[in-house]
């Protein structure tokens, strides 16, 4: 009996939808793809969908666990703060962005600072826990957008991202890049219908540098794109830093939520 050959004849197998995160296919009766999976949370203006996210995984990213906020809530808290700071001026008072009510932070729009509300600041490790959820969220956005735009997100080289973002295993460094000039560079569409850019140069960096400079809501993040990042971190980071030195002055390893300049303090400096 040659099962292998029989299998290769079943052409429909190639069309069965698989989940980017848990790798289960819709042939499995417990796996459904009914809900729309936004690559960037809808609450942040995300309009694009990834068709390869099963309902269970989709639900997972929006659910709090072990006394921590969900990945999506942390993404929203951070980037809403940016949108609020970028748009909450007198001229744009009617703007939707100016209505942000943060769950975790007290905002000070005059000196562009934010601090944790007392109820959270007394929770030990809350900042670090937020940072971890945020980083997982950044990788979630990366892989879902990559899948949506290139259809190559299933590749085994991204398994380390699945382990971290979906299964909360290990840790992957992300560097926050502080812009050189105190100006927020963005295109209006980035805030209205945010998406990642995978044009040729950036794709080349993913392959050659093993890093991707991810731009979203005017922020720059440097994220590893290969499992072996720890072996090549120093040389690749050096390459990336040199390449980006015209745009950024600082590359900060994100350890605490406040390591990311969500409130755009750099603009006031
Ligand atoms: Zn799944």
């Amino acid at each position: 009996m040659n099962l292998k050959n029989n299998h290769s004849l079943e052409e429909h197998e190639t069309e069965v939808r698989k989940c980017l995160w848990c790798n289960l296919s819709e042939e499995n009766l417990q796996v459904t793809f009914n809900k729309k999976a936004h690559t960037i949370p809808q609450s942040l203006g995300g309009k694009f969908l990834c068709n390869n996210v099963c309902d269970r995984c989709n639900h997972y990213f929006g659910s709090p666990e072990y006394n921590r906020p969900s990945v999506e809530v942390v993404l929203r808290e951070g980037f809403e703060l940016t949108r609020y700071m970028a748009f909450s001026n007198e001229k744009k008072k009617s703007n939707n962005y100016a209505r942000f009510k943060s769950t975790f932070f007290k905002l000070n729009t005059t000196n562009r600072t934010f601090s944790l509300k007392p109820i959270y600041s007394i929770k030990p490790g809350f900042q670090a826990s937020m940072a971890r959820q945020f980083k997982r969220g950044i990788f979630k956005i990366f892989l879902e957008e990559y899948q949506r735009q290139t259809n190559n997100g299933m590749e085994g080289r991204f398994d380390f991202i699945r382990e971290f973002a979906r299964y909360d295993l290990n840790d992957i460094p992300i560097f926050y890049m502080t812009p050189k000039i105190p100006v927020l560079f963005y295109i209006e569409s980035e805030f209205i219908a945010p998406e990642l850019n995978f044009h040729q140069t950036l794709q080349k960096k993913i392959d050659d540098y093993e890093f991707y400079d991810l731009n979203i809501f005017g922020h720059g993040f440097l994220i590893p794109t290969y499992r072996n990042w720890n072996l090549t971190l120093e040389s690749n980071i050096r390459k990336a830093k040199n390449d980006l030195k015209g745009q950024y002055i600082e590359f900060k390893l994100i350890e605490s939520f406040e390591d990311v300049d969500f409130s755009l303090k750099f603009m006031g400096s």
Side-chain angles (χ1 to χ4, degrees):
M1 196 160 73
N2 193 338
L3 278 173
K4 232 182 186 170
N5 272 347
N6 281 344
H7 260 288
S8 63
L9 289 174
E10 292 173 24
E11 277 181 17
H12 74 273
E13 273 198 349
T14 55
E15 294 183 13
V16 171
R17 187 152 49 158
K18 255 192 176 177
C19 177
L20 178 68
W21 296 110
C22 65
N23 212 27
L24 292 173
S25 79
E26 59 191 343
E27 282 188 330
N28 183 326
L29 291 179
Q30 265 115 49
V31 181
T32 52
F33 290 85
N34 298 327
K35 298 241 167 68
K36 285 180 182 166
H38 291 84
T39 58
I40 292 165
Q42 209 173 4
S43 53
L44 290 171
K47 287 183 176 58
F48 301 105
L49 305 174
C50 179
N51 293 322
N52 295 87
V53 180
C54 80
D55 292 337
R56 202 191 300 178
C57 291
N58 192 12
H59 181 257
Y60 171 80
F61 288 113
S63 312
E65 44 165 345
Y66 310 120
N67 210 16
R68 328 180 269 199
S70 73
V71 166
E72 279 197 17
V73 160
V74 176
L75 282 176
R76 194 191 69 214
E77 284 284 313
F79 291 133
E80 277 282 38
L81 189 54
T82 298
R83 295 180 357 144
Y84 179 84
M85 289 298 184
F87 292 102
S88 63
N89 56 38
E90 287 302 312
K91 275 182 223 154
K92 300 200 175 185
K93 230 176 186 171
S94 61
N95 201 300
N96 278 339
Y97 306 129
R99 287 195 209 118
F100 173 49
K101 286 242 176 351
S102 175
T103 311
F104 302 126
F105 302 108
K106 265 194 321 221
L107 309 175
N108 183 331
T109 42
T110 316
N111 58 15
R112 294 182 178 278
T113 57
F114 65 101
S115 56
L116 275 179
K117 287 179 180 173
I119 188 171
Y120 295 108
S121 64
I122 54 166
K123 269 182 149 181
F126 191 74
Q127 279 272 353
S129 167
M130 291 277 284
R132 183 173 173 91
Q133 295 298 76
F134 178 75
K135 290 200 299 175
R136 294 172 68 206
I138 288 290
F139 279 106
K140 176 200 181 286
I141 290 174
F142 168 78
L143 200 56
E144 290 185 6
E145 275 284 285
Y146 193 73
Q147 171 64 16
R148 175 178 79 83
Q149 296 186 43
T150 70
N151 214 26
N152 292 328
M154 300 287 187
E155 288 175 6
R157 62 170 164 159
F158 297 125
D159 284 351
F160 77 109
I161 291 179
R162 279 178 266 276
E163 287 161 16
F164 180 56
R166 172 65 178 87
Y167 296 101
D168 199 20
L169 300 168
N170 312 319
D171 194 12
I172 313 175
I174 296 185
F175 294 86
Y176 179 69
M177 305 187 285
T178 306
K180 210 166 186 175
I181 317 166
V183 171
L184 182 70
F185 287 104
Y186 68 94
I187 327 163
E188 187 83 29
S189 64
E190 261 187 55
F191 281 80
I192 295 164
E195 64 176 322
L196 299 189
N197 198 334
F198 292 107
H199 60 65
Q200 229 178 348
T201 327
L202 284 166
Q203 182 63 51
K204 198 171 149 36
K205 275 190 205 167
I206 291 176
D207 298 331
D208 294 354
Y209 283 26
E210 304 180 355
F211 267 93
Y212 170 66
D213 46 306
L214 187 152
N215 288 281
I216 189 164
F217 300 118
H219 294 292
F221 300 93
L222 201 57
I223 70 167
T225 50
Y226 277 79
R227 170 179 294 282
N228 63 359
W229 58 264
N230 50 335
L231 301 176
T232 52
L233 184 70
E234 241 172 81
S235 63
N236 285 333
I237 277 284
R238 208 182 307 127
K239 258 196 287 185
K241 276 183 180 175
N242 190 51
D243 199 55
L244 296 164
K245 69 179 179 218
Q247 287 164 264
Y248 302 102
I249 43 160
E250 202 195 345
F251 296 73
K252 192 174 197 177
L253 184 67
I254 301 174
E255 289 170 309
S256 159
F257 194 67
E258 283 175 328
D259 287 338
V260 181
D261 189 7
F262 290 116
S263 61
L264 308 174
K265 265 185 292 208
F266 81 94
M267 285 169 65
S269 59

